[in-house]
Amino acid sequence: DTGVSQNPRHKITKRGQNVTFRCDPISEHNRLYWYRQTLGQGPEFLTYFQNEAQLEKSRLLSDRFSAERPKGSFSTLEIQRTEQGDSAMYLCASSPSSGGKETQYFGPGTRLLVL
Amino acid sequence: GIQVEQSPPDLILQEGANSTLRCNFSDSVNNLQWFHQNPWGQLINLFYIPSGTKQNGRLSATTVATERYSLLYISSSQTTDSGVYFCAVHALGKLIFGQGTTLQVKP
């Protein structure tokens, strides 16, 4: 069990550019979640997957955001036409089964800075 | 939606002191987790505690689901305990976080 991994750990980009983040969950975890955390706040839910199916998207996830989990393993989160307000820590988590009540385990996060 | 409130927002302790962090939530929940976020941003699981009391070393947690609150106790605090402590409730599969308690333990 190697834990949840995320890449890159840090990303600096210019406003208007596209960025893509990757999350590798704990092996055999069915559920994968994305959260966003801004400075001084708790993480906020963005979206989650049950295997490859995206089951819920928060209103925080604008049309510029898209997430995929094509084979039910790793996931990518893409932000198109980045804005300064997108600067945040993007956290990925996974949990072991479909019940939705199990412990969620978090990765180290990707810190995004949009200049 | 469910509201999660943590108190106090900030706490400064001298090394060796004890502390209690509180988490109130506005509606019935399936479960609750406590996390410690280290200075590098990593969220570390402390407890998964739908009800009752659990202990892990110097840390313990109690959740009283019927009264919609949870407490995290830190005894004999150490400088390495510094950071932000979050509680998060499970609601329809996702976690809803409080605003956190920032703890600073001074040597």
Side-chain angles (χ1 to χ4, degrees), chain A residues 35 37 41 56 101 106, chain B residues 37 42 48 94-95 99:
Chain A
Y35 294 84
Q37 184 179 22
Q41 304 295 315
E56 186 175 346
K101 300 178 185 180
F106 281 79
Chain B
Q37 189 165 42
Q42 174 82 57
Y48 174 79
K94 56 185 178 285
L95 289 176
Q99 297 286 77

Side-chain angles (χ1 to χ4, degrees), chain B residues 21-66:
Chain B
L21 282 57
R22 187 175 179 103
C23 173
N24 292 334
F25 42 96
S26 61
D27 205 345
S28 301
V29 296
N30 293 327
N31 225 317
L32 184 144
Q33 288 184 240
W34 281 97
F35 296 90
H36 176 212
Q37 189 165 42
N38 66 22
W40 297 272
Q42 174 82 57
L43 281 168
I44 299 164
N45 282 297
L46 297 178
F47 295 102
Y48 174 79
I49 183 165
S51 62
T53 297
K54 291 185 178 180
Q55 179 151 10
N56 184 3
R58 297 181 296 103
L59 302 182
S60 64
T62 295
T63 296
V64 184
T66 53

Side-chain angles (χ1 to χ4, degrees), chain A residues 86-105:
Chain A
D86 297 330
S87 296
M89 173 80 93
Y90 290 84
L91 294 162
C92 175
S94 68
S95 66
S97 74
S98 60
K101 300 178 185 180
E102 295 76 14
T103 301
Q104 293 186 22
Y105 297 88

